[in-house]
Amino acid sequence: MSVANKLESGIEASLPADVRATLQPAATQYRILCVGETWLGSDARAAFEALRRLGHSIEILDANHYLPLQWQTFPGRVIRKLFRPVFVRELRLDAARIVARYKPHCLFVWKGNVVHPKLIEQCKQQGVTTVNYYPDVSFYSHGSYIPRSLPLYDHVFNTKSYGVGDMKKLGVRSVSFLEPGYDPELHRPVELTAEERETYGCDVVFIGTWSPKKESILASLRQALPRIRIRIWGNQWEDHRDLKLRDSIMGYGVTGDEYTKAICGSSICLGLLSEQGQGSSSGDLITARTFQIPACGAFMLHERNAEVLNYFEEGRDAEFFGASKELAEKVEYYLAHDEKRREIAGSGFLRSLRDGYSIDRRMESVVGWLNCHLSQATARQG
């Protein structure tokens, strides 16, 4: 029996009844205007769909429809830069029309690169509660609108624990920590075909955007274990400088179902973390990958820190490393011990389900805040 089938067959017997039960629709159903990306595999789309699964009515404004990020030619990039204010204004005007027609209870923005501060102000003037779910290390590295808009929201959920203090320094008055989560529609154990094994099969995989730190870690692993098969999927890896990684870099990212296949096709999936960014007090401690990899039933080898150990027990649900030497030693050990690696992967998978690491559970927290906020507003009016 395959690893995926073994994991899936044990779910019903292993989980408590409240986890086995389907998520119940919310007692109060809200109309929510969502702003963010909707490509398959985006965390924004996963959050919006989770709100829908929880029983709420959603309308979506896809930011990519207004700011064409897919334009990569030089003329396209020039046009995008020159006309960015026009694109942002079009989104704001469309949002105003939807607010007038749809009368949402809440504006829910994922990150908000192209959300102008005026949109937040206009929604609040119409009595719409405004919420942001912010997923990045820095709020200064993604355009001028984010640092101007964040203080205006009624509440900001930050996926970085240290980001709460960073945002308070920015002037955000109402902010709380809420972890990222895996998408149950995408991040689950899958069995690969022989053709997919040719594409995704490897000893070690890392999926994520290039950074100097990540390159250094992967280059040290390649140097220590030159014979293992490493695949690196993600954007901006053309910026790499270490020639040892040349044959490991695939040259593009994987999204949606292909992202899941890339995870499931590897014996070991690395959880590498981003560096400290502009205006941030720390680098990443957890990321969406922290929860997505175990949810796929895969073996995760993650950078060690005190925060991530709150979610997965070392040596039982996942493995962790500090220095490069420890990374190489653990990769070598677990490639030679298949049964132990599968046991840990299975435990991490079940832990993800039992402890509620899905995006649905994260959105339950958002709706819980909204319930409280609107109840208090009604009481004040009364």
Side-chain angles (χ1 to χ4, degrees):
M1 183 182 291
S2 71
V3 175
N5 289 336
K6 284 181 181 178
L7 291 171
E8 290 174 334
S9 66
I11 295 173
E12 292 296 323
S14 302
L15 298 180
D18 61 332
V19 175
R20 290 199 304 268
T22 304
L23 286 169
Q24 296 299 313
T28 302
Q29 296 183 349
Y30 295 115
R31 294 183 300 279
I32 303 175
L33 174 57
C34 301
V35 180
E37 298 175 333
T38 60
W39 49 270
L40 183 62
S42 75
D43 294 333
R45 172 177 171 151
F48 302 159
E49 288 300 308
L51 289 169
R52 183 185 57 78
R53 286 193 293 269
L54 289 170
H56 304 288
S57 170
I58 65 170
E59 289 262 351
I60 299 175
L61 279 176
D62 188 334
N64 282 355
H65 289 171
Y66 298 87
L67 191 69
L69 298 178
Q70 290 77 16
W71 292 1
Q72 295 303 316
T73 63
F74 178 74
R77 293 197 302 270
V78 170
I79 291 171
R80 184 172 61 210
K81 184 175 181 179
L82 288 174
F83 287 91
R84 180 183 176 90
V86 177
F87 298 149
V88 169
R89 185 171 184 271
E90 288 293 336
L91 185 151
R92 180 166 61 85
L93 292 174
D94 275 355
R97 285 190 283 268
I98 293 174
V99 167
R101 167 182 58 81
Y102 183 56
K103 295 179 171 56
H105 299 93
C106 177
L107 172 73
F108 180 71
V109 176
W110 183 277
K111 190 170 176 178
N113 296 42
V114 294
V115 173
H116 196 281
K118 286 184 179 179
L119 172 55
I120 312 303
E121 293 170 338
Q122 288 171 347
C123 285
K124 293 175 74 170
Q125 289 167 4
Q126 296 297 315
V128 179
T129 300
T130 57
V131 174
N132 185 290
Y133 192 23
Y134 196 76
D136 281 334
V137 173
S138 170
F139 34 79
Y140 287 114
S141 302
H142 306 282
S144 63
Y145 299 124
I146 287 176
R148 293 160 53 197
S149 295
L150 284 174
L152 301 176
Y153 288 93
D154 290 302
H155 192 75
V156 178
F157 292 95
N158 195 312
T159 66
K160 316 299 180 185
S161 58
Y162 56 85
V164 172
D166 294 345
M167 284 193 169
K168 286 182 178 178
K169 291 178 182 177
L170 182 69
V172 179
R173 289 170 294 178
S174 182
V175 55
S176 59
F177 170 52
L178 182 61
E179 305 94 327
Y182 71 86
D183 182 352
E185 291 190 353
L186 283 177
H187 307 132
R188 77 284 185 208
V190 297
E191 193 67 32
L192 273 60
T193 66
E195 180 182 5
E196 290 165 344
R197 285 276 169 198
E198 285 292 318
T199 302
Y200 296 119
C202 61
D203 297 314
V204 175
V205 71
F206 174 69
I207 308 171
T209 302
W210 171 87
S211 75
K213 173 191 164 188
K214 295 168 191 171
E215 178 180 336
S216 176
I217 291 172
L218 290 165
S220 70
L221 179 61
R222 164 56 70 213
Q223 182 170 353
L225 301 174
R227 296 184 181 276
I228 67 170
R229 295 175 300 159
I230 301 175
R231 292 190 189 277
I232 302 169
W233 305 90
N235 299 322
Q236 299 177 25
W237 281 93
E238 65 274 10
D239 294 334
H240 81 284
R241 296 291 182 266
D242 199 308
L243 295 181
K244 291 189 292 294
L245 295 176
R246 181 175 51 192
D247 294 336
S248 298
I249 294 170
M250 299 297 102
Y252 56 94
V254 282
T255 60
D257 290 315
E258 301 307 302
Y259 172 81
T260 301
K261 292 172 187 176
I263 290 174
C264 293
S266 181
S267 298
I268 296 174
C269 299
L270 297 182
L272 305 184
L273 301 170
S274 295
E275 299 92 320
Q276 186 174 350
Q278 183 183 2
S280 64
S281 58
S282 172
D284 265 337
L285 301 173
I286 58 172
T287 70
R289 284 187 298 276
T290 304
F291 303 102
Q292 293 166 355
I293 293 170
C296 292
F299 176 87
M300 180 170 70
L301 181 51
H302 196 283
E303 288 190 64
R304 185 188 294 108
N305 60 69
E307 184 166 306
V308 72
L309 294 175
N310 292 326
Y311 303 98
F312 297 102
E313 183 178 338
E314 184 163 7
R316 179 176 179 178
D317 305 319
E319 266 294 1
F320 299 89
F321 72 93
S324 296
K325 183 175 184 290
E326 186 182 13
L327 170 61
E329 288 172 349
K330 289 197 169 179
V331 166
E332 189 170 36
Y333 174 83
Y334 282 105
L335 288 178
H337 293 81
D338 291 350
E339 194 58 38
K340 182 62 176 175
R341 192 180 70 244
R342 293 189 184 107
E343 178 186 331
I344 291 173
S347 180
F349 174 72
L350 295 175
R351 176 77 180 267
S352 299
L353 297 177
R354 279 197 300 265
D355 286 11
Y357 296 159
S358 71
I359 191 67
D360 296 75
R361 292 299 172 88
R362 309 310 190 207
M363 291 303 102
E364 283 181 345
S365 296
V366 171
V367 173
W369 179 90
L370 186 60
N371 285 335
C372 183
H373 177 80
L374 292 178
S375 297
Q376 291 174 351
T378 301
R380 287 193 297 269
Q381 292 172 359

